[in-house]
């Protein structure tokens, strides 16, 4: 079989377990697919074919000895801000172009322990700042459904790799929408876990009160499996929650009769494409037909402020996190100047792209004496109001359902010179991020031939519930394992 790359992770696991295929065969099929389509898609910054085949051989031994688990031998793409010992990790930035980490992140350690196979490091907007993957210092990723379009971002490489068959499942990271929005634009499933669910040890930091790592896959079951693998307490991350992750398989394939679904009216704004609205309306009907009580009278009045809150808090935290890139400790270094200060200035001026510089300036401004109270402190207060509104809603509803993105994928170049237009891509994903809530995007049909995503938001640590609704919806809609016809 030459098209093993079409399998989902759980389908592959079944065949591996039954010894119908080997991980080496599966991995070779994915590597061949990468060789074929990567010139058109550019989902990866670095591919690691030798390492992948080595890991595949180890995985085959695990199957032989009966010690395999669901991700053993499964080819995975890893977003390039996830530290992988011995494999270059760039965060999409020139400043880390040659950074080869000496250690593994928590999530990569867990993947390796499970026996997963790494195909490569996925392209991304520099330091995860962006919604289109055009802000990568290594060039943009192209949407596999139409290569003239963006895949979304910042985890656009991960989502495109999944949709193009260049891996079976991927890891992304989400600060304000970077897993869910590219998943939506590429027809994949993407889950942003509750803040604190997944350890950030070894994750290159952007906005520390927002960042979470999560899965992007071709169906809900794969996403649940990957989340199960990476979640759990880790004492190396002080924000990692000690709460154990329940067995997520328990939530899949169960009925959702009687479940209360809130649909906030503030999400149905002008700027939302009619084709997106039509798909969401149909999805709500499907949920009703599955026995859910869908209530469209929910109001979350502070929704419109989430964007302003996010674009003060995230850049503020980024301005502090990115201070470490000074040409002294890591990566790119310009040493041509007469003094250390000149060298730091030149290193940062050359090493960072424009969007990153914009964020550092915004953040430094918002945190400076005299403006701190007016911007940063005010944003934190509004953040609490947004949390309170969600909490009040969750006293009434099991889940909140919204579109993931107001538009389908847009042309490369259309928004890259207009930061505000770019920021507006995340209006629907930012509120849950600001509140730290878990949320998932699942495919819900097509508009103009391009995928549309449905977002399901849950209570804190209620990943099980959003997976349950996503899994029931997926079964009813048949929208799974969508591979772009490249
Ligand atoms: N697009 C948003 C930003 O540019 C969110 C990015 C993210 O979630 N990492 O900041």
């Amino acid at each position: 079989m030459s098209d093993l790359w079409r399998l989902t992770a759980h389908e592959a696991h079944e065949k591996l377990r039954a010894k119908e295929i080997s991980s080496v065969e599966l991995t070779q099929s994915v590597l061949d697919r990468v060789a074929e389509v990567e010139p058109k898609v550019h989902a990866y910054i670095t591919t690691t074919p030798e390492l992948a085949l080595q890991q595949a051989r180890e995985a085959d031994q695990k199957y032989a000895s009966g010690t395999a688990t669901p991700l053993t031998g499964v080819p995975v793409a890893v977003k390039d801000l996830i530290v992988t010992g011995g494999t270059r990790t760039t965060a999409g930035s020139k400043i880390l172009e040659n950074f080869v980490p000496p250690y593994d992140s928590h999530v990569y350690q867990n993947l390796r322990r499970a026996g997963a196979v790494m195909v490569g490091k996925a392209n991304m907007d520099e330091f995860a700042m962006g919604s289109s993957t055009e802000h990568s210092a290594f060039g943009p990723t192209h949407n596999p459904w139409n290569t003239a379009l963006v895949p979304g971002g910042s985890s656009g490489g991960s989502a495109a790799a999944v949709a193009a068959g260049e891996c079976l499942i991927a890891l992304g990271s989400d600060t304000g929408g970077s897993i869910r929005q590219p998943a939506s634009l590429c027809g994949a499933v993407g889950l942003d876990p509750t803040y604190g669910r997944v350890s950030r040890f070894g994750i290159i930091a952007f906005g520390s009160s927002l960042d979470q790592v999560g899965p992007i896959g071709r169906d809900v079951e794969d996403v649940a499996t990957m989340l199960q693998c990476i979640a759990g307490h880790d004492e190396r991350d002080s924000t990692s929650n000690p709460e154990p992750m329940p067995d997520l398989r328990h939530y899949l394939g169960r009925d959702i009769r009687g479940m209360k679904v809130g649909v906030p009216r503030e999400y149905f704004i002008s700027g939302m494409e009619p084709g997106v609205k039509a798909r969401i309306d149909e999805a709500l009907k499907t949920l009703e037909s599955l026995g859910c009580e869908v209530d469209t009278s929910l109001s979350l009045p502070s929704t419109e402020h989430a964007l302003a809150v996010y674009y003060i808090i995230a850049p503020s935290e980024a301005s502090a996190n990115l201070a470490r890139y000074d040409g002294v400790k890591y990566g790119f270094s310009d040493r041509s100047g007469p003094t250390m200060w000149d060298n730091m200035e030149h290193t940062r001026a050359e090493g960072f792209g424009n969007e990153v510089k914009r964020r550092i300036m915004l953040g430094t401004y918002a945190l400076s004496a005299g403006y701190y109270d007016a911007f940063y402190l005010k944003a934190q207060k509004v953040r609490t109001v947004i949390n309170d509104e969600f909490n009040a809603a969750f006293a009434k509803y099991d889940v909140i359902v919204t579109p993931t993105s107001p538009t389908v994928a847009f042309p490369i170049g259309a928004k890259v010179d207009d930061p505000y237009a770019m920021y507006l891509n995340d209006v629907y994903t930012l509120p849950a991020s600001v509140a730290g809530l878990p949320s998932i995007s699942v495919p819900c049909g097509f508009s103009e031939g391009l995928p549309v995503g449905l977002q399901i938001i849950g209570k804190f640590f209620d990943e099980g519930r959003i997976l349950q609704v996503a899994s029931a919806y997926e079964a009813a809609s048949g929208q799974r394992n969508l591979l772009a016809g490249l």
Side-chain angles (χ1 to χ4, degrees):
M1 249 202 286
S2 61
D3 56 355
L4 296 176
W5 52 269
R6 291 180 182 277
L7 298 171
T8 63
H10 62 91
E11 290 165 353
H13 175 61
E14 284 309 311
K15 290 190 186 304
L16 288 162
R17 218 171 43 168
K19 310 274 191 310
E20 284 173 42
I21 61 171
S22 70
S23 174
V24 169
E25 284 167 338
L26 173 64
T27 301
Q28 192 58 57
S29 161
V30 169
L31 293 174
D32 292 346
R33 177 71 178 168
V34 170
E36 182 192 340
V37 302
E38 188 59 359
K40 288 186 257 179
V41 179
H42 190 225
Y44 290 102
I45 292 176
T46 306
T47 51
T48 51
E50 287 96 31
L51 179 67
L53 287 168
Q54 171 60 33
Q55 293 177 344
R57 283 190 288 274
E58 289 165 20
D60 283 331
Q61 279 161 15
K62 287 197 176 198
Y63 280 99
S65 63
T67 54
T69 51
L71 289 177
T72 307
V74 171
V76 174
V78 176
K79 186 176 183 179
D80 208 19
L81 54 52
I82 297 172
V83 160
T84 45
T87 299
R88 179 169 83 129
T89 301
T90 70
S93 183
K94 184 179 172 190
I95 214 156
L96 288 175
E97 195 172 24
N98 298 316
F99 174 56
V100 178
Y103 71 105
D104 286 335
S105 52
H106 171 85
V107 293
Y108 186 61
Q109 266 176 351
N110 281 17
L111 276 188
R112 286 305 303 136
R113 235 175 255 142
V117 168
M118 181 166 76
V119 181
K121 304 297 299 285
N123 199 11
M124 56 181 285
D125 286 295
E126 186 176 4
F127 287 102
M129 298 170 185
S131 311
S132 68
T133 317
E134 291 167 289
H135 294 309
S136 167
F138 301 88
T141 295
H142 300 256
N143 191 312
W145 294 92
N146 176 341
T147 54
L149 309 181
V150 303
S154 64
S155 312
S158 301
V162 166
E166 295 188 69
C167 65
L168 271 48
I169 184 163
L171 281 182
S173 74
D174 199 308
T175 304
S178 278
I179 288 175
R180 293 158 287 161
Q181 185 258 10
S184 169
L185 269 47
C186 289
V189 181
L191 188 148
D192 177 17
T194 309
Y195 183 75
R197 187 59 109 175
V198 177
S199 165
R200 281 101 48 86
F201 176 78
I203 305 305
I204 294 178
F206 164 15
S208 301
S209 74
L210 297 149
D211 298 340
Q212 272 294 286
V213 172
I216 299 178
R218 289 200 221 118
D219 71 8
V220 174
E221 182 173 344
D222 278 5
V223 159
T225 303
M226 178 66 102
L227 179 60
Q228 193 88 53
C229 172
I230 59 172
H233 183 59
D234 173 21
E235 60 188 20
R236 296 169 299 182
D237 173 359
S238 61
T239 63
S240 152
N241 195 280
E243 191 115 347
M245 177 62 109
D247 185 351
L248 295 171
R249 277 173 313 182
H250 166 75
Y251 293 91
L252 304 177
R254 285 178 55 181
D255 97 47
I256 54 171
R257 196 158 294 281
M259 214 167 275
K260 294 193 177 54
V261 175
V263 184
R265 65 172 99 103
E266 288 78 6
Y267 283 67
F268 293 82
I269 48 166
S270 67
M272 177 179 193
E273 289 174 354
V276 171
K277 171 141 194 336
R279 292 298 89 74
I280 301 301
D281 287 343
E282 286 161 17
L284 295 176
K285 292 231 162 59
T286 304
L287 291 175
E288 254 167 7
S289 75
L290 293 168
C292 292
E293 288 173 36
V294 176
D295 181 357
T296 53
S297 69
L298 169 60
S299 175
L300 297 170
S302 301
T303 298
E304 62 167 323
H305 302 303
L307 190 128
V309 165
Y310 174 86
Y311 278 101
I312 291 174
I313 292 174
S316 296
E317 295 177 357
S319 72
N321 277 326
L322 271 56
R324 71 190 71 171
Y325 306 105
D326 54 10
V328 176
K329 304 181 206 71
Y330 329 80
F332 175 73
S333 181
D334 182 328
R335 302 200 180 156
S336 59
T339 70
M340 179 187 79
W341 300 111
D342 293 304
N343 290 344
M344 281 188 192
E345 196 180 316
H346 295 156
T347 295
R348 288 167 70 82
E350 279 176 62
F352 288 139
N354 286 341
E355 184 59 27
V356 171
K357 288 178 189 162
R358 182 179 295 121
R359 306 276 178 120
I360 292 173
M361 285 191 279
L362 277 172
T364 307
Y365 182 78
L367 290 178
S368 56
Y371 295 106
Y372 180 91
D373 288 359
F375 293 113
Y376 187 73
L377 198 61
K378 185 64 147 281
Q380 292 289 21
K381 288 180 181 168
V382 181
R383 184 178 198 175
T384 304
V385 174
I386 293 170
N387 286 350
D388 291 347
E389 285 177 10
F390 270 119
N391 286 338
F394 280 122
K396 260 179 95 180
Y397 304 101
D398 296 296
V399 293
I400 291 173
V401 168
T402 78
T404 305
S405 164
T407 71
V408 292
F410 48 90
I412 291 178
K415 300 185 186 179
V416 73
D417 296 322
D418 182 350
Y420 192 63
M422 192 67 93
Y423 298 171
L424 278 170
N425 286 295
D426 300 306
V427 274
Y428 296 153
T429 49
L430 291 169
S433 293
V434 163
L437 297 166
S439 48
I440 187 170
S441 178
V442 287
C444 68
F446 289 77
S447 166
E448 297 160 34
L450 296 167
V452 177
L454 179 76
Q455 179 176 232
I456 306 164
I457 307 170
K459 296 175 204 176
F460 289 114
F461 299 105
D462 210 5
E463 283 86 359
R465 196 68 59 208
I466 59 174
L467 285 163
Q468 182 182 353
V469 175
S471 145
Y473 172 75
E474 178 187 74
S477 69
Q479 301 280 317
R480 60 175 290 280
N481 201 9
L482 305 175
L483 280 156
L486 273 157

